[in-house]
Amino acid sequence: MKTKKFLLQEKDIPTAWYNIAADMENKPRPILNPATKEPLREEDLYPLFAKELAHQELNATDAWIEIPEGVRDMYKIWRPTPLVRAYGLEKALDTPAHIYFKNESISPVGSHKLNSALAQAYFCKKEGVTNITTETGAGQWGAAMSYAAKAFGLELAVYMVKISYHQKPYRRSIMQTFGAQVIASPSMSTKAGRQILTDHPNYQGSLGTAISEAVELAIQTPNCKYTLGSVLNHVMLHQSVIGLEAEKQMEMAGEYPDIVIGCFGGGSNFSGISFPFLRHKLTEGKDIRIIAAEPASCPKLTRGQFQYDFGDEAGYTPLIPMFTLGHTFSPAHIHAGGLRYHGAGAIVSQLHKDKLMEAVDIPQLDTFDAATLFARVEGIIPAPESAHAIAATIREAQQAREEGKQKVILFNLSGHGLIDMAAYDQYFAGDLTNFDLTDEEVEKNIAGLEKII
Amino acid sequence: MKTKKFLLQEKDIPTAWYNIAADMENKPRPILNPATKEPLREEDLYPLFAKELAHQELNATDAWIEIPEGVRDMYKIWRPTPLVRAYGLEKALDTPAHIYFKNESISPVGSHKLNSALAQAYFCKKEGVTNITTETGAGQWGAAMSYAAKAFGLELAVYMVKISYHQKPYRRSIMQTFGAQVIASPSMSTKAGRQILTDHPNYQGSLGTAISEAVELAIQTPNCKYTLGSVLNHVMLHQSVIGLEAEKQMEMAGEYPDIVIGCFGGGSNFSGISFPFLRHKLTEGKDIRIIAAEPASCPKLTRGQFQYDFGDEAGYTPLIPMFTLGHTFSPAHIHAGGLRYHGAGAIVSQLHKDKLMEAVDIPQLDTFDAATLFARVEGIIPAPESAHAIAATIREAQQAREEGKQKVILFNLSGHGLIDMAAYDQYFAGDLTNFDLTDEEVEKNIAGLEKII
């Protein structure tokens, strides 16, 4: 009988995170203080982040950073995750390609987000923080942070993008079950929220706005830090456990990927699956393609501009060197709420600029076509975000068939879609549209950016 | 670092199901033809079930029945499942007990039900069946059967208990995503449905009624069989993979359970986790307690009568020797829809009569107290059904603390509750009640039963 899953034991959970910046020839450009335009210092981040996280963000120089035992112990709740050979999908596509996916959906909160949530809660707790804030799009990050906060005894307030708050009420319930306070964003509870509600009364929110609110609340709350589920260097670091496990598992399978694919919002799961493989390209010149799959309605990598920009809508954050559509960009209401973010993180942006990776953008309907096919042949209903990676995988597998090449494709199944069933209902009812961004819309948004790079 | 999970490899997926009837001194009483009151013959079941399943139901005499490779291959999608040491729960309860749970919730459809769904679909497909029907309460079985039907290329119609159809719309969506047709029961599509709607216009359904509808549709549809997710002997057989894996994993943990606990509806997950351990009691005289945890609103084992009764509301099925509250019993609208069934299967009923197992009944609010505690300390939000097993486990762990005994408790986490979040919302809002059955209600229902045993 054919092996379908490649399973590791708890002892195989990585003992160190991989910091790709150490191996990059062109280092990511520095994050800047928006007032002085000088590179940010660790101390500048202390009001927002736990010190250890500020250090990881700005000054981690080693390629390997030890995972504290307190974090690794929590990883054991669900890690290691399986690597799965997608025989069903291969057969359905009649492709010579070998398709593998890393199944991060078996996490108790349904996605890869717990990998960084637990690390961030751990470091906050370690330095005596009592309260944390965060934002969430579709709610995958918020659900993960809610459990992590509860596990480490921290109070948590989550700003959830309003459109997702209504689209995905069960994710709100999950956060509340773990004891978190959930606020629909934009809200009246912050200056940033009030301002945007005044300017745009029916605004259904964006990750950029929710970040502004969460940052503002963190700064105004005693003994409180802010946490973020994507974009930042320390998040990419924590997520490397995905790819590090997958590396061992591909060895068990006796294959090596020609292509590694992740869906792309701010970069957390994409970096997690791909950086440990990209390492082989950077350090050994290995021939491997890395593909980020983003929504056609929010195409910062394929059609944005490489630019210093704020991480949030209100401009509270430092300036990050990013491929961006502009921090005031308001993405369409696609169901992949976790991908509705205007920019890419500093590391990914540098890698993309240096052509060490590629990006594709996928229309919403293609993602649901892919998701439904995947569900029916592999049994797992994917999150709308992860469906972008599946759609990109299908394109590559079809290409392999046309070329008659037996390529090995690895993608990250970042989460399941059991809380996103309303999206599937709409898809089957024919009520979904693509929301592809036009050239004019892209131009209009980018035109407002101050050209710093 | 302490080991939290005990993980097997694909090669450790059992190669044979365990048939406990072979080892029972008092065999389960025969299932009867209601017209003749004679024991049913295999042929009598052919109109309803695939032949192989009819054989497993009535005439399986071997203790071990080989799992076909086509089923075992499908089990690889998610099996083996982890055995988890619940350190978080032990700490929260300050108990000397060692608590383990078998995590069946990582199945792609969220519960243990796939273990039998895939087997039933396989045997139907093997003998050329093209259409199948089934019923579902909370939707865990329906979701599993929907994927299994799609995987084996069968058309499926699911009668979903109306109260659950409205309480758990995402499970309906999941079934539809896998391509199944879902009908709220009672419906106008069957004689049984029309009759009960005429008699009780606002009836919100029960598993008993949904079974009548699914059976009726199967009989009226060409090349169609009926499938059932619990109660029947062949379902218990397929579910034994749960306990067989757990047996190996408890060995890895270097412990042996003093107590094995499963929630109880018709007996599928309960039998699955417990029969392979009960085997040690039957064949080696091992000292082990087996506990079924049922809802206080549907207490057939603790307060029902051992009796021949129909499996469905309309009286279409053969007569089954069961602990029952009467086949017309209408259970309260608890959220554990999978436990809203009037009777226990023939094997479990015999074991219970022979005092080889115990049963406890748990009020709905206790189950949500237990579920919320479990979610916060172990990270997994349990299904309302599984919460009954957790509540019973907590009782035993508290007892162990009082007695100062280091007992080893194993329970089955039959499914996650991510699709049941509306129930948690109601619990936190204070809108849930217990619906405990009064003695008068029990008496009233039992009084109508014909005393055959």
Side-chain angles (χ1 to χ4, degrees):
Chain A
M1 283 198 296
K2 292 185 292 188
T3 301
K4 181 151 178 75
K5 296 191 304 305
F6 299 89
L7 300 171
L8 301 169
Q9 294 290 326
E10 282 187 353
K11 65 177 171 48
D12 302 313
I13 296 173
T15 53
W17 291 304
Y18 173 58
N19 170 30
I20 197 171
D23 289 328
M24 289 166 69
E25 204 176 308
N26 297 334
K27 301 297 178 198
R29 283 171 168 73
I31 295 172
L32 302 182
N33 180 321
T36 63
K37 306 276 158 75
E38 289 296 313
L40 214 65
R41 298 161 309 166
E42 261 178 63
E43 310 85 88
D44 298 333
L45 283 178
Y46 290 170
L48 270 189
F49 296 120
K51 286 178 187 164
E52 185 70 29
L53 295 171
H55 176 73
Q56 289 174 3
E57 185 60 29
L58 298 180
N59 293 320
T61 49
D62 293 347
W64 300 97
I65 292 172
E66 194 189 336
I67 303 176
E69 192 166 313
V71 175
R72 213 161 159 268
D73 252 350
M74 296 302 291
Y75 281 171
K76 290 181 181 174
I77 288 177
W78 80 106
R79 302 208 71 86
T81 62
L83 179 81
V84 185
R85 174 80 183 266
Y87 289 114
L89 186 60
E90 291 173 17
K91 193 176 161 205
L93 297 172
D94 188 24
T95 176
H98 291 189
I99 304 176
Y100 294 84
F101 63 91
K102 181 71 170 161
N103 186 1
E104 289 291 302
S105 80
I106 68 155
S107 138
V109 295
S111 84
H112 72 293
K113 291 291 191 185
L114 214 41
N115 297 325
S116 186
L118 288 164
Q120 293 187 44
Y122 170 86
F123 288 117
C124 285
K125 182 69 180 182
K126 196 179 159 198
E127 70 177 62
V129 169
T130 53
N131 294 50
I132 54 179
T133 70
T134 198
E135 79 295 316
T136 195
Q140 297 271 28
W141 169 251
M145 199 66 233
S146 297
Y147 171 59
K150 176 55 69 182
F152 285 101
L154 303 165
E155 285 296 317
L156 171 65
V158 184
Y159 285 94
M160 184 172 187
V161 175
K162 197 173 279 177
I163 182 71
S164 294
Y165 187 90
H166 295 303
Q167 276 175 340
K168 300 166 202 286
Y170 283 14
R171 282 235 175 74
R172 166 171 53 74
S173 305
I174 291 170
M175 293 185 249
Q176 289 166 338
T177 299
F178 288 127
Q181 186 196 352
V182 187
I183 311 110
S185 168
S187 76
M188 295 292 283
S189 68
T190 64
K191 187 164 166 286
R194 289 189 292 275
Q195 186 64 50
I196 200 157
L197 281 171
T198 302
D199 296 344
H200 309 281
N202 287 318
Y203 190 50
Q204 292 299 299
S206 72
L207 277 165
T209 302
I211 293 173
S212 297
E213 295 208 273
V215 165
E216 190 181 320
L217 185 68
I219 288 169
Q220 292 178 345
T221 305
N223 203 21
C224 184
K225 301 292 174 195
Y226 165 70
T227 60
L228 181 70
S230 193
V231 183
L232 297 175
N233 301 340
H234 66 272
V235 180
M236 313 297 146
L237 179 73
H238 305 152
Q239 292 293 354
S240 65
V241 291
I242 302 171
L244 293 170
E245 284 180 7
E247 202 185 350
K248 291 184 199 172
Q249 290 164 310
M250 288 301 306
E251 259 178 55
M252 289 167 76
E255 302 215 77
Y256 187 84
D258 297 299
I259 306 172
V260 178
I261 297 174
C263 66
F264 196 87
S268 75
N269 98 88
F270 167 76
S271 306
I273 189 72
S274 68
F275 284 3
F277 290 96
L278 194 48
R279 170 174 164 260
H280 306 156
K281 185 168 185 163
L282 299 183
T283 62
E284 307 157 34
K286 196 103 183 173
D287 185 23
I288 184 170
R289 289 172 60 206
I290 310 287
I291 303 176
E294 61 183 9
S297 59
C298 195
K300 56 254 180 186
L301 287 173
T302 48
R303 297 161 75 195
Q305 187 158 293
F306 187 45
Q307 192 63 47
Y308 269 103
D309 198 5
F310 291 105
D312 70 319
E313 195 272 340
Y316 290 158
T317 71
L319 287 167
I320 304 170
M322 14 166 86
F323 274 86
T324 177
L325 294 164
H327 66 278
T328 59
F329 174 69
S330 170
H333 299 162
I334 56 168
H335 282 278
L339 309 186
R340 295 175 70 248
Y341 186 68
H342 64 278
I347 293 176
V348 166
S349 292
Q350 188 63 45
L351 293 168
H352 190 46
K353 181 173 185 298
D354 292 343
K355 300 194 190 315
L356 290 162
M357 53 170 280
E358 307 162 40
V360 292
D361 61 336
I362 318 247
Q364 178 162 254
L365 286 172
D366 287 8
T367 68
F368 278 89
D369 290 347
T372 303
L373 173 64
F374 182 79
R376 292 179 176 182
V377 296
E378 293 292 334
I380 306 171
I381 298 180
E385 290 83 358
S386 317
H388 289 71
I390 299 171
T393 297
I394 290 174
R395 285 188 189 177
E396 291 296 332
Q398 286 168 335
Q399 181 73 22
R401 185 183 57 197
E402 278 165 34
E403 295 173 5
K405 285 190 186 161
Q406 190 210 286
K407 289 184 191 163
V408 177
I409 307 173
L410 165 66
F411 75 89
N412 193 36
L413 185 75
S414 55
H416 66 64
L418 297 179
I419 311 298
D420 305 277
M421 294 315 301
Y424 283 85
D425 284 351
Q426 282 188 28
Y427 167 69
F428 289 119
D431 289 343
L432 286 192
T433 49
N434 277 334
F435 297 118
D436 296 357
L437 216 58
T438 64
D439 289 339
E440 291 70 32
E441 288 166 321
V442 172
E443 279 307 314
K444 202 186 85 187
N445 279 285
I446 290 175
L449 296 178
E450 191 188 350
K451 299 229 161 44
I452 302 182
I453 297 174
Chain B
M1 283 200 294
K2 292 184 292 188
T3 302
K4 182 153 178 74
K5 295 191 304 305
F6 300 89
L7 301 171
L8 301 168
Q9 295 289 326
E10 283 186 354
K11 65 179 170 47
D12 302 313
I13 296 172
T15 52
W17 291 303
Y18 172 58
N19 170 30
I20 197 170
D23 289 327
M24 289 166 69
E25 204 176 308
N26 298 333
K27 301 296 177 198
R29 283 170 168 72
I31 296 173
L32 303 183
N33 181 321
T36 64
K37 304 277 159 73
E38 290 296 314
L40 215 65
R41 298 161 307 165
E42 262 179 59
E43 310 84 87
D44 298 334
L45 284 178
Y46 291 170
L48 269 190
F49 297 120
K51 286 178 187 164
E52 184 71 30
L53 295 170
H55 177 72
Q56 290 174 4
E57 186 60 29
L58 298 180
N59 293 321
T61 49
D62 294 346
W64 300 98
I65 291 171
E66 195 189 335
I67 304 176
E69 193 167 312
V71 176
R72 212 162 160 268
D73 252 349
M74 295 303 290
Y75 281 171
K76 290 181 181 174
I77 288 178
W78 80 106
R79 302 209 72 86
T81 63
L83 179 80
V84 185
R85 174 80 182 266
Y87 288 115
L89 186 60
E90 291 174 17
K91 193 175 160 204
L93 297 172
D94 188 24
T95 177
H98 291 189
I99 305 175
Y100 294 83
F101 63 92
K102 181 73 169 159
N103 187 1
E104 290 290 302
S105 79
I106 68 156
S107 136
V109 294
S111 84
H112 70 292
K113 291 290 191 186
L114 216 40
N115 297 325
S116 186
L118 288 165
Q120 293 186 44
Y122 170 87
F123 289 116
C124 285
K125 181 69 182 183
K126 196 178 161 199
E127 70 176 61
V129 170
T130 53
N131 295 51
I132 53 179
T133 71
T134 197
E135 77 296 316
T136 194
Q140 297 271 27
W141 168 252
M145 200 65 235
S146 297
Y147 170 60
K150 176 55 69 181
F152 287 100
L154 303 165
E155 285 296 318
L156 171 66
V158 184
Y159 285 94
M160 184 172 187
V161 175
K162 196 172 279 176
I163 182 72
S164 294
Y165 188 91
H166 294 303
Q167 277 175 340
K168 301 166 202 284
Y170 283 14
R171 281 234 175 74
R172 169 173 50 76
S173 305
I174 291 169
M175 293 183 250
Q176 289 166 338
T177 300
F178 288 127
Q181 184 196 355
V182 187
I183 310 111
S185 166
S187 76
M188 295 291 283
S189 67
T190 64
K191 187 163 167 286
R194 289 188 293 273
Q195 186 63 49
I196 201 157
L197 281 170
T198 303
D199 296 343
H200 310 280
N202 288 317
Y203 191 49
Q204 293 299 298
S206 71
L207 278 164
T209 303
I211 292 173
S212 297
E213 295 207 274
V215 166
E216 189 181 321
L217 185 68
I219 289 169
Q220 293 178 345
T221 306
N223 202 20
C224 183
K225 301 292 173 195
Y226 164 70
T227 60
L228 181 69
S230 194
V231 183
L232 297 175
N233 300 341
H234 65 273
V235 179
M236 312 297 146
L237 179 73
H238 305 152
Q239 293 293 353
S240 65
V241 292
I242 303 172
L244 293 170
E245 284 182 7
E247 201 184 352
K248 291 184 198 172
Q249 289 165 309
M250 288 301 305
E251 257 178 56
M252 289 167 75
E255 303 215 76
Y256 188 84
D258 298 299
I259 307 171
V260 178
I261 298 173
C263 66
F264 196 86
S268 75
N269 98 89
F270 168 77
S271 305
I273 188 73
S274 69
F275 284 3
F277 290 96
L278 193 49
R279 170 174 163 259
H280 306 156
K281 186 169 184 162
L282 299 182
T283 62
E284 307 157 34
K286 196 101 182 174
D287 185 23
I288 184 170
R289 290 173 60 207
I290 309 288
I291 303 175
E294 61 182 8
S297 59
C298 195
K300 56 254 182 186
L301 287 173
T302 49
R303 298 162 75 196
Q305 187 159 292
F306 187 44
Q307 191 64 47
Y308 270 102
D309 197 6
F310 290 106
D312 70 318
E313 195 272 338
Y316 289 160
T317 71
L319 287 167
I320 305 171
M322 11 166 89
F323 274 87
T324 177
L325 295 164
H327 67 277
T328 59
F329 173 70
S330 170
H333 299 161
I334 56 168
H335 283 279
L339 309 186
R340 294 175 71 248
Y341 186 68
H342 65 278
I347 293 177
V348 165
S349 293
Q350 188 63 45
L351 292 169
H352 190 47
K353 181 172 185 297
D354 292 342
K355 301 194 191 312
L356 290 162
M357 53 170 281
E358 308 163 38
V360 292
D361 60 336
I362 319 247
Q364 177 162 253
L365 285 172
D366 287 8
T367 68
F368 278 90
D369 290 347
T372 303
L373 173 64
F374 182 79
R376 291 180 177 182
V377 296
E378 293 293 334
I380 305 170
I381 298 179
E385 290 83 359
S386 317
H388 289 70
I390 299 172
T393 297
I394 290 174
R395 284 187 188 176
E396 291 296 332
Q398 286 169 336
Q399 181 73 20
R401 184 182 59 197
E402 279 165 33
E403 295 173 4
K405 284 188 187 163
Q406 190 210 285
K407 290 183 190 163
V408 177
I409 308 173
L410 165 65
F411 75 89
N412 193 36
L413 184 74
S414 54
H416 66 64
L418 296 179
I419 311 297
D420 305 276
M421 295 315 301
Y424 283 86
D425 284 351
Q426 281 187 28
Y427 167 69
F428 289 120
D431 289 343
L432 286 193
T433 50
N434 276 333
F435 297 115
D436 295 358
L437 216 58
T438 64
D439 288 340
E440 290 69 31
E441 288 165 320
V442 172
E443 280 307 315
K444 202 187 82 187
N445 278 286
I446 291 175
L449 295 179
E450 191 189 350
K451 297 228 163 41
I452 302 183
I453 298 174

